[in-house]
Amino acid sequence: MATTQQTTEVSSPWESKTFGTSISLHLERPVGAMTISPSGRDIVLASRSGLYVVDLDDPYCPPRFLRHTTLWEVADVQWSPHAAKYTWVISTSNQKAMVWNMALPSRNAIEHVLHAHTRAITDINFHAHDPERLATCAVDAFVHCWDMRTPGKPVQSFCDWRASATQVKWNRQNPHVVASSHDRFVRIWDDRMGAQPLRSINAHSTKIYGVDFDRVAETSLITCSLDKTIKFWDYSNEKDEPVRVIMTDFPVWKARHTPFGDGCCIMPQRGGKNGLYIVYNKSEQVTEPMKPVAEFVGHTEPVKEFLWRTRGGDQGIDDREFQLVTWSKDHDLRLWSIDDSTLEGVHHVKDEPLKYRLTRRGTPYVSFVEEPEAESDTASLFSLGIHQPISRSAITSTRESQFPARKSQRYMTRGGIYDKISHLNWLSGVRIGRSAFAKPDDTAAFTEREVPENLGEEVSIVGNKFPKITFEKINVSSGEIVVCLNGPWGTDNSLIFIRVEAHFPPDYPRRNAPKITIEQSKDLSPEEIGKVEAQVQTIATEFTNRRKYCLESCLRYLMGEKVVLDELDEEDNLPVTGEMDLPVLEVDEGESSSDDEIIMSPPKST
């Protein structure tokens, strides 16, 4: 089993190599919700068994797992959008909401348990202005407002009394206003007005599943429903008349304003080619069919969540760039590039002053995929700016009493309780570039051809082809691979244990060959090790001189198989960087099919 690699050293989103790249990551887990860190580097996928943290800048690194086994589907998970609380993630577990601190060890990561609802929580939303405040809503028809400085009970509550709540959203401009959806109605609440709603809107003919406030206009919001419409409202208008209605041919699950221009991103509940659609908000017609300016189609099952990854805007000028992140029922996490035509389609203008405040500004560009080192509870809490008079033992004992551990298979690593995700299996689900959004038929053909496009794919193919080879370390980002195998290099060609380290350069295999070294062993003299290293290095060089991947051939040679170098130029039409005489390390004339065939094979015993 491979060890977990160290995270990629990237200090700024502008250094990210994945931001403008199409990527698909496969995680065969029952994930119910997804959220993104304020820096845009990490994704959290929430399932019944716990949270999976994925580093988007190092997609080859397996996710970190924070265990929390529950019988209930995770309705929502939200990462704090504020730089002041960039370590906080909140997820649902039936009637409770858990506040996780990503900077703490996984076994102690739950900071608080918010419990006031009597039925299952359906939505969570952080306050747009105060990093300590958030709101939850539930099937019990209540909307609870929480202040994390006093997390024992809600600081304020609102209730519809007649219908369960499906969505809750804070106003992005007015810190006192929060909206919630109850069946066909939207309630606008003001925390200065008591329990009476500021405004009630009879918005749709069926249950509402999406509410989103405009980023600039205080009284504007979007609603969507299974009645196949998206409606734009101005709640300062006392009449229940939408400003605009977009008609679709599918029930709508989510509709939100884009973080750029005057756009709206629409997600179908079903149908719609399992895609997402961006439309322009402004139109002279009140009611019209959907006219997408961009479509994101490629998932084989309906999309369950979408998010925006953003960089730029730190100096108050709108020089931002965007990347769409989607999670689908097909268990694929995908990153989509946003081109200039999409930005122009929603009338986004670059390099102008920002129209609204970015809560993420100042967030450190770090990843939480690595398990933090354990430290004293008091030191860890105060180092993160948490100064509440609450003890870790009290939190832990409360959590254990409310969420008793279930008996299940567990794996101990430096991360504590670990959901066993094989590094090789994870690599097999990583697709970057041309193959990222390949159709299932194309993917099958790719697997049959076994032609990798990058080092990660090569390691995955080789690892699955040779199960007896142990990959002790895999760090695709730094190009470090350590493998252990048995090869016929002992006396009388007996099998001996060999540990091999390979360091692949960033431009592999286009220019330079990897550097391969064999660990000193009592079964091989330094001279013998040097000879084997030279032979393997020659194989690697010959392959990379022809811009071909060499890991499989090098390992085959170390396992005692023969490598025919003369066939390199005949295998495919890949370009050759230059002609050169191939060195003959050993020629087996008895089995050679031609006089000119050059075969590299382990030395035979005499």
Side-chain angles (χ1 to χ4, degrees):
M1 177 179 174
T3 59
T4 304
Q5 63 184 35
Q6 297 294 319
T7 55
T8 306
E9 293 296 331
V10 181
S11 59
S12 165
W14 296 105
E15 299 176 6
S16 172
K17 296 181 180 180
T18 62
F19 200 93
T21 306
S22 297
I23 297 177
S24 178
L25 308 175
H26 188 79
L27 179 63
E28 198 65 35
R29 295 294 187 273
V31 172
M34 175 178 71
T35 186
I36 190 169
S37 65
S39 69
R41 176 158 180 176
D42 284 348
I43 287 286
V44 161
L45 301 170
S47 73
R48 294 181 180 182
S49 57
L51 306 184
Y52 299 88
V53 184
V54 180
D55 182 1
L56 297 182
D57 271 344
D58 194 359
Y60 297 110
C61 179
R64 173 189 174 192
F65 178 67
L66 293 89
R67 180 176 179 268
H68 175 71
T69 303
T70 175
L71 296 174
W72 306 96
E73 187 77 18
V74 178
D76 194 19
V77 60
Q78 293 290 323
W79 204 312
S80 171
H82 299 278
K85 297 295 180 182
Y86 71 97
T87 63
W88 274 1
V89 173
I90 300 185
S91 65
T92 65
S93 177
N94 196 18
Q95 307 163 5
K96 304 177 181 69
M98 277 80 64
V99 182
W100 303 76
N101 194 322
M102 295 291 105
L104 294 179
S106 298
R107 63 182 180 275
N108 295 326
I110 296 181
E111 288 280 356
H112 308 286
V113 176
L114 309 181
H115 189 191
H117 290 286
T118 58
R119 300 288 298 278
I121 296 174
T122 55
D123 196 26
I124 303 170
N125 189 237
F126 276 94
H127 198 280
H129 303 268
D130 189 342
E132 298 283 356
R133 297 180 64 189
L134 60 104
T136 58
C137 67
V139 179
D140 59 12
F142 273 90
V143 174
H144 290 317
C145 301
W146 304 83
D147 190 321
M148 299 311 298
R149 288 161 289 206
T150 56
K153 63 180 181 179
V155 294
Q156 194 164 18
S157 298
F158 307 104
C159 188
D160 179 85
W161 300 110
R162 290 181 292 273
S164 61
T166 54
Q167 288 278 287
V168 60
K169 292 293 181 292
W170 288 98
N171 191 301
R172 289 189 169 101
Q173 295 297 321
N174 191 330
H176 300 286
V177 173
V178 60
S180 59
S181 59
H182 305 263
D183 195 31
R184 299 176 291 111
F185 291 86
V186 175
R187 311 294 187 192
I188 309 296
W189 311 92
D190 191 314
D191 60 12
R192 301 164 298 183
M193 305 292 289
Q196 188 72 21
L198 178 68
R199 177 82 166 84
S200 294
I201 303 174
N202 188 353
H204 290 268
S205 59
T206 60
K207 183 178 287 189
I208 299 169
Y209 282 100
V211 176
D212 189 47
F213 276 104
D214 191 274
R215 297 175 186 274
V216 178
E218 178 183 333
T219 59
S220 296
L221 71 155
I222 295 176
T223 61
C224 65
S225 167
L226 302 186
D227 63 7
K228 302 182 180 180
T229 64
I230 301 99
K231 297 184 178 181
F232 297 77
W233 304 88
D234 183 349
Y235 70 78
S236 63
N237 183 1
E238 296 182 358
K239 297 181 179 180
D240 291 350
E241 296 179 354
V243 175
R244 189 183 179 214
V245 179
I246 297 177
M247 309 293 295
T248 69
D249 58 359
F250 49 77
V252 183
W253 191 248
K254 286 182 169 115
R256 302 180 190 137
H257 291 92
T258 59
F260 49 86
D262 295 314
C264 172
C265 191
I266 301 170
M267 187 180 88
Q269 184 208 36
R270 61 182 183 275
K273 298 186 289 187
N274 300 323
L276 290 178
Y277 302 89
I278 293 180
V279 299
Y280 179 52
N281 289 350
K282 310 297 182 182
S283 176
E284 295 180 357
Q285 297 182 0
V286 175
T287 302
E288 63 178 353
M290 182 181 69
K291 299 177 182 178
V293 300
E295 300 181 5
F296 301 90
V297 178
H299 284 289
T300 58
E301 296 287 341
V303 178
K304 297 188 69 174
E305 183 59 278
F306 68 91
L307 303 164
W308 293 100
R309 189 183 184 200
T310 308
R311 65 181 178 184
D314 298 326
Q315 305 301 322
I317 301 299
D318 199 350
D319 59 350
R320 294 173 298 162
E321 296 180 359
F322 306 92
Q323 191 172 34
L324 179 64
V325 185
T326 60
W327 171 261
S328 166
K329 289 184 179 179
D330 60 14
H331 301 283
D332 275 355
L333 174 70
R334 294 192 173 189
L335 276 65
W336 311 73
S337 298
I338 304 299
D339 55 28
D340 290 339
S341 62
T342 302
L343 300 178
E344 293 170 0
V346 295
H347 294 202
H348 175 68
V349 181
K350 286 188 175 182
D351 299 325
E352 289 192 349
L354 280 167
K355 297 179 180 180
Y356 54 88
R357 182 177 61 93
L358 300 178
T359 60
R360 63 175 175 81
R361 185 181 297 172
T363 303
Y365 196 71
V366 296
S367 174
F368 295 100
V369 74
E370 279 292 310
E371 183 68 24
E373 295 182 3
E375 57 179 324
S376 66
D377 297 330
T378 303
S380 61
L381 290 172
F382 275 84
S383 66
L384 296 165
I386 301 170
H387 306 292
Q388 302 300 323
I390 183 169
S391 68
R392 170 61 59 195
S393 59
I395 297 173
T396 304
S397 61
T398 302
R399 180 174 65 255
E400 290 177 349
S401 63
Q402 293 176 338
F403 306 100
R406 299 174 62 203
K407 293 182 179 180
S408 61
Q409 189 175 12
R410 303 190 298 181
Y411 302 87
M412 298 304 296
T413 68
R414 69 174 182 271
I417 308 302
Y418 180 64
D419 180 15
K420 187 178 182 181
I421 299 178
S422 166
H423 202 153
L424 290 174
N425 288 342
W426 173 258
L427 288 176
S428 67
V430 179
R431 300 191 298 276
I432 298 178
R434 180 176 60 85
S435 64
F437 300 159
K439 296 180 180 179
D441 294 340
D442 298 336
T443 304
F446 165 80
T447 304
E448 292 175 1
R449 293 195 308 268
E450 294 180 337
V451 179
E453 284 195 352
N454 51 63
L455 178 59
E457 291 180 359
E458 181 184 23
V459 171
S460 175
I461 291 171
V462 173
N464 287 293
K465 182 179 289 186
F466 303 109
K468 291 186 178 181
I469 293 180
T470 300
F471 281 80
E472 185 177 302
K473 180 179 181 181
I474 302 174
N475 192 329
V476 176
S477 300
S478 64
E480 298 179 29
I481 308 294
V482 179
V483 298
C484 300
L485 54 87
N486 292 318
W489 301 95
T491 305
D492 298 327
N493 291 339
S494 61
L495 294 177
I496 63 171
F497 175 82
I498 299 176
R499 187 173 184 268
V500 183
E501 296 184 9
H503 296 266
F504 293 81
D507 54 5
Y508 169 81
R510 293 186 300 274
R511 295 183 180 178
N512 297 319
K515 181 181 179 181
I516 299 174
T517 57
I518 299 176
E519 189 179 73
Q520 296 295 321
S521 170
K522 65 178 182 179
D523 298 315
L524 283 176
S525 66
E527 293 77 14
E528 292 172 323
I529 290 177
K531 182 178 179 181
V532 175
E533 284 181 349
Q535 293 172 338
V536 177
Q537 197 67 53
T538 299
I539 296 175
T541 301
E542 294 305 320
F543 272 78
T544 53
N545 279 344
R546 289 154 177 80
R547 302 184 184 180
K548 296 184 179 182
Y549 292 88
C550 65
L551 180 60
E552 179 178 343
S553 296
C554 291
L555 294 180
R556 283 186 180 276
Y557 178 77
L558 290 172
M559 290 187 294
E561 299 185 23
K562 297 169 183 171
V563 179
V564 182
L565 296 179
D566 268 2
E567 294 181 355
L568 283 175
D569 299 332
E570 302 174 1
E571 290 179 359
D572 50 47
N573 296 321
L574 292 177
V576 179
T577 58
E579 300 295 336
M580 61 179 299
D581 294 330
L582 301 178
V584 181
L585 296 186
E586 183 166 334
V587 179
D588 191 331
E589 298 179 353
E591 299 181 11
S592 179
S593 59
S594 68
D595 294 336
D596 298 327
E597 187 175 49
I598 299 175
I599 302 175
M600 300 184 66
S601 62
K604 297 179 180 179
S605 60
T606 57

